[in-house]
Amino acid sequence: MPRSLAPAPEGKGPPAIISPSILSSDFADLAAESKKILSMGADWLHVDVMDGHFVPNLTLGPPIVKALRAHTDAFLDCHLMVSNPAQWVDDFAAAGVDMYTFHLEAVDPEPGPGAEPLPDVAALIRAIRAAGMLVGIVIKPGTPVQRLEPYLDAVDMVLIMTVEPGFGGQKFMPDQLDKVRWLRAARPGLYIEVDGGLAPATIEAAAEAGANVIVAGSAVFGAQDPRQVIATLRAAVEAAA
């Protein structure tokens, strides 16, 4: 059975979730790095999967996720930056992923401004759920958020990229927060994740826009005091809820 997400309390937004990206961890000691960051207050582990095609970088695949799963029961929040997300559903489900988040652009390569549902997107959502995972959908900075409207009631989470996907350590793009505001107004209880350039200096803007799931890589793993950074991120989201 897939894990469930805690519903939003009445009159409030969904809970604050801090999901550090293991892309910024020491891969030679991934199990220990993951356990350490969870012990410091992280809620989820964010797993960035890049195939070298959809984005130019190449990271990791199901074998590494499976190896990590053997060392932790943490919620694995997997962001698929791959050209064919349908191809990998069963492999990542078997590896132990909890949330499988795919790019709309990978299924609909040239999304326009309209909001017509696509059969291939709906079929992929059904396949992910049938494999026992929760469903996330993500868009790049250049994709209109309205393209997500047909799928908002079918997914568990929407991820808004606040940098161009493919590399860590990029500068935060505040203009992307208008998408978060639109989503929060449209679906008050929706889990909305933001990824890219999130740190103590940028968290208040993201939280005030309505994001509740915060991905941070170098800001957490590279901090002198990761526990304090995680606490700062959480406090901002909770204050804005």
Side-chain angles (χ1 to χ4, degrees), residues 197-205 214 216 219-220 223 225 228-233 236:
L198 276 301
T202 54
I203 185 57
E204 287 190 11
I214 309 300
V220 172
D225 188 352
Q228 182 57 49
V229 173
I230 291 170
T232 298
L233 300 177

Side-chain angles (χ1 to χ4, degrees), residues 58-233:
L58 182 67
T59 56
L60 54 85
I64 291 178
V65 176
K66 183 177 180 180
L68 176 60
R69 173 54 81 205
H71 294 275
T72 181
D73 63 356
F75 188 102
L76 298 182
D77 167 33
C78 197
H79 174 195
L80 277 291
M81 288 165 272
V82 301
S83 296
N84 185 5
Q87 176 183 354
W88 301 106
V89 170
D90 291 340
D91 288 338
F92 278 101
V97 163
D98 294 294
M99 176 80 75
Y100 190 96
T101 299
F102 68 92
H103 270 268
L104 175 63
E105 301 91 351
V107 188
D108 182 16
E110 296 184 3
E116 293 299 320
L118 291 173
D120 288 351
V121 177
L124 179 53
I125 290 170
R126 289 193 300 270
I128 294 166
R129 216 172 278 293
M133 295 179 289
L134 298 173
V135 184
I137 191 168
V138 51
I139 53 173
K140 295 180 180 182
T143 301
V145 68
Q146 291 80 6
R147 287 291 302 166
L148 296 173
E149 189 169 9
Y151 315 110
L152 294 181
D153 293 328
V155 301
D156 299 291
M157 186 178 76
V158 170
L159 167 54
I160 297 298
M161 293 302 299
T162 47
V163 297
E164 289 293 342
F167 296 94
Q170 296 182 62
K171 187 177 179 181
F172 179 71
M173 299 170 67
D175 59 313
Q176 296 303 305
L177 296 181
D178 285 341
K179 296 177 181 178
V180 176
R181 294 184 186 95
W182 185 90
L183 287 166
R184 183 56 69 215
R187 297 293 189 281
L190 180 67
Y191 275 55
I192 303 174
E193 184 172 54
V194 286
D195 181 2
L198 276 301
T202 54
I203 185 57
E204 287 190 11
E208 288 171 2
N212 74 294
V213 184
I214 309 300
V215 177
S218 54
V220 172
F221 281 100
Q224 287 190 341
D225 188 352
R227 188 185 303 274
Q228 182 57 49
V229 173
I230 291 170
T232 298
L233 300 177

